[in-house]
């Protein structure tokens, strides 16, 4: 497998085409942004940790019936994935109120939600990723009804699988963001990443934040938190 041209450079990753038209190589960077790019920085070792944690969790959910883009980890920072066209939605699942939900509804962070909440945002940096509902998604043709049903089903499956798994390593899954893609034949698969950049992970006992909120909120101990997640999940 060889990289050919760079197809895309995002805030945290680069994506390269390969000599196989159905496969890409994702390369994870240490760069971090928050607040829609307003805050910029580096989290030393983040690229390696997010690559390895994502692949670990992708394999787990795949083994439990959620199709993913994962193919093969080729080194600490780089992974072969199936080529997809990304569904332009951020799919957010929430178990406990935090972040923008806590702010919007005036809830104290840490309040348990009586029911798991599913939210969608339209992926558009210029618009600040506005929240949309199913009606907007169908009206704007961001996804079909069938695709959206599958996306919701997979998102809840990922939540159940990760919540159970993380409990074993004393981590509470507060909320997370997923992205889905379409393979050439239209099959919907889980894509992007599952990492401390895209999930809120709290220590189950102390409620200490072990995720990117430490960077977003200038709390310090950012690298240590990422290392701790890697240690609890991969034992290193
Ligand atoms: P929020 O509370 O800021 O809306 O974030 C909800 C979850 O989604 C949280 O785990 C962080 C994640 N997230 C991303 O991965 N990317 C984003 O651009 C945003 C806004 C949130």
């Amino acid at each position: 497998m060889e990289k050919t041209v760079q197809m895309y450079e995002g805030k945290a990753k680069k994506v390269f085409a390969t000599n196989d038209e159905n496969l890409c190589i994702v390369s994870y960077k240490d760069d971090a942004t928050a607040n829609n790019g307003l805050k910029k920085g580096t989290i030393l070792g983040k690229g390696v940790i997010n690559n390895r944690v994502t692949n670990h969790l992708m394999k787990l959910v795949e083994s439990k019936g959620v199709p993913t883009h994962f193919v093969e980890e080729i080194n600490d920072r780089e992974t072969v994935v199936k080529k997809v066209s990304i569904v332009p939605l951020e799919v957010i699942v929430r178990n406990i109120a935090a972040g923008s939900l806590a702010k919007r509804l005036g809830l104290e962070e840490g309040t348990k939600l009586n029911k798991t909440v599913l939210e969608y945002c339209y992926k558009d940096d210029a618009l600040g990723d506005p929240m949309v509902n199913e009606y907007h998604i169908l009206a704007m043709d961001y996804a079909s009804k069938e695709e959206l049903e599958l996306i919701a089903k997979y998102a809840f499956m990922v939540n159940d699988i990760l919540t159970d798994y993380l409990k074993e390593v004393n981590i509470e899954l507060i909320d997370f963001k997923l992205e889905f893609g379409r393979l050439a034949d239209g099959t919907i698969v889980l894509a992007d990443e599952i990492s401390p950049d895209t999930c809120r992970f709290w220590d189950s006992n102390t409620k200490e934040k072990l995720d990117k909120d430490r960077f977003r909120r200038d709390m310090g101990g950012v690298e240590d938190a990422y290392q701790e997640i890697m240690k609890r999940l991969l034992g290193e």
Side-chain angles (χ1 to χ4, degrees):
M1 183 64 43
E2 272 175 45
K3 282 187 216 161
T4 53
V5 291
Q6 183 173 307
M7 296 164 64
Y8 164 85
E9 178 160 9
K11 296 165 202 156
K13 297 187 285 292
K14 293 179 186 176
V15 181
F16 296 89
T18 69
N19 45 350
D20 183 330
E21 62 173 356
N22 294 310
L23 299 176
C24 296
I25 291 176
V26 181
S27 182
Y28 287 77
K29 306 191 287 185
D30 284 354
D31 298 350
T33 63
N35 268 336
N36 199 21
L38 249 81
K39 181 177 166 66
K40 286 192 175 69
T42 302
I43 301 173
L44 217 64
K46 174 171 88 79
V48 169
I49 292 171
N50 284 1
N51 182 43
R52 302 207 48 212
V53 166
T54 293
N55 294 341
H56 182 70
L57 297 176
M58 286 281 180
K59 284 189 254 183
L60 173 71
V61 300
E62 180 98 46
S63 77
K64 305 222 178 245
V66 179
T68 78
H69 72 164
F70 175 78
V71 177
E72 185 190 12
E73 187 171 293
I74 46 177
N75 61 51
D76 268 0
R77 267 179 206 278
E78 295 182 317
T79 294
V80 180
V81 296
K82 293 175 187 164
K83 185 173 180 179
V84 298
S85 79
I86 287 284
V87 175
L89 296 173
E90 298 202 333
V91 179
I92 296 169
V93 179
R94 300 180 186 272
N95 299 305
I96 306 278
S100 70
L101 179 74
K103 199 167 173 189
R104 186 160 13 100
L105 300 186
L107 302 171
E108 190 182 342
E109 276 211 321
T111 307
K112 173 138 178 47
L113 300 166
N114 290 327
K115 201 174 182 308
T116 299
V117 170
L118 184 63
E119 292 173 358
Y120 303 105
C121 293
Y122 172 51
K123 267 172 68 71
D124 186 313
D125 284 341
L127 297 175
D129 298 337
M131 189 184 285
V132 290
N133 66 25
E134 284 191 31
Y135 291 90
H136 301 111
I137 294 167
L138 299 182
M140 302 304 296
D141 214 12
Y142 299 147
S144 71
K145 193 166 192 307
E146 293 71 30
E147 287 176 331
L148 201 56
E149 279 169 8
L150 211 47
I151 285 171
K153 182 179 107 169
Y154 290 155
F156 284 118
M157 283 172 74
V158 169
N159 188 42
D160 290 343
I161 297 162
L162 293 186
T163 297
D164 286 352
Y165 169 71
L166 292 166
K167 226 176 251 167
E168 290 172 31
V169 290
N170 220 36
I171 294 168
E172 196 171 0
L173 182 60
I174 306 302
D175 58 30
F176 57 94
K177 185 263 303 181
L178 301 175
E179 295 186 24
F180 292 85
R182 302 178 181 101
L183 300 180
D185 68 359
T187 306
I188 292 284
V189 298
L190 180 61
D192 195 52
E193 66 185 284
I194 314 173
S195 72
D197 272 17
T198 61
C199 302
R200 286 195 172 93
F201 296 134
W202 292 4
D203 181 276
S204 304
N205 300 121
T206 65
K207 311 295 175 192
E208 186 190 359
K209 296 185 199 312
L210 298 172
D211 56 57
K212 195 176 167 190
D213 270 349
R214 302 198 77 87
F215 171 80
R216 295 186 188 104
R217 302 178 186 188
D218 295 317
M219 296 170 72
V222 186
E223 277 92 359
D224 285 350
Y226 279 71
Q227 285 290 345
E228 181 63 24
I229 290 297
M230 173 103 143
K231 193 167 136 204
R232 290 202 201 177
L233 269 53
L234 289 134
E236 48 190 272

